Amino acid sequence: MNISKDALIRPYREDDFPAIQQLNRQEQWNNLVAKEQDTKQAWANSTIAVVAEMDGQVAGYLRGLTDGFISLYICELLINQHYRQTGLGKQLMHHVHSLYPKTRIELLASSTSRTFYEAQGYRSFYGFRKTIEE
């Protein structure tokens, strides 16, 4: 099933935030849910912040950062479970990359999302992560 052509991809608006947090909650991205004000500030400060709308509802989102020329980092990409395997995630990625065509996309993937990115032609690379508390 490919219903992504019916999706409206548009810039994030502050009134989208409750729907985004609901998606985060459903996905059990508990850090983003628990740090609600920090997450909201992250959305406000991101150079890339788009949502995919289906039937007037937020069906997915993509948040990222870019310098506009070399690197485009995807912070989060999340699709509502009802709209997965419809091409919506691929459409969001393509939309954002077309805004910054000179950049390379970099992102982190979980074991469950790895196959999605590999199917889109992304290759794995080695990286590190650490918070100040660690």
Side-chain angles (χ1 to χ4, degrees), residues 16 20-21 33 38 56 63 72 75 77 82 105 118 132:
D16 294 322
I20 287 168
Q21 281 295 77
V33 174
D38 290 345
R63 187 179 74 81
L72 187 160
C75 302
L77 168 65
H82 300 295
I105 291 182
E118 289 174 339
I132 200 162

Side-chain angles (χ1 to χ4, degrees), residues 5 14 18 20-21 34 38 44 49 56 58-59 84 89 97 99 111 114:
K5 62 182 170 236
E14 191 174 342
I20 287 168
Q21 281 295 77
D38 290 345
V58 174
R84 291 182 185 170
H97 208 187
L99 296 174
S111 59
R114 179 183 181 142

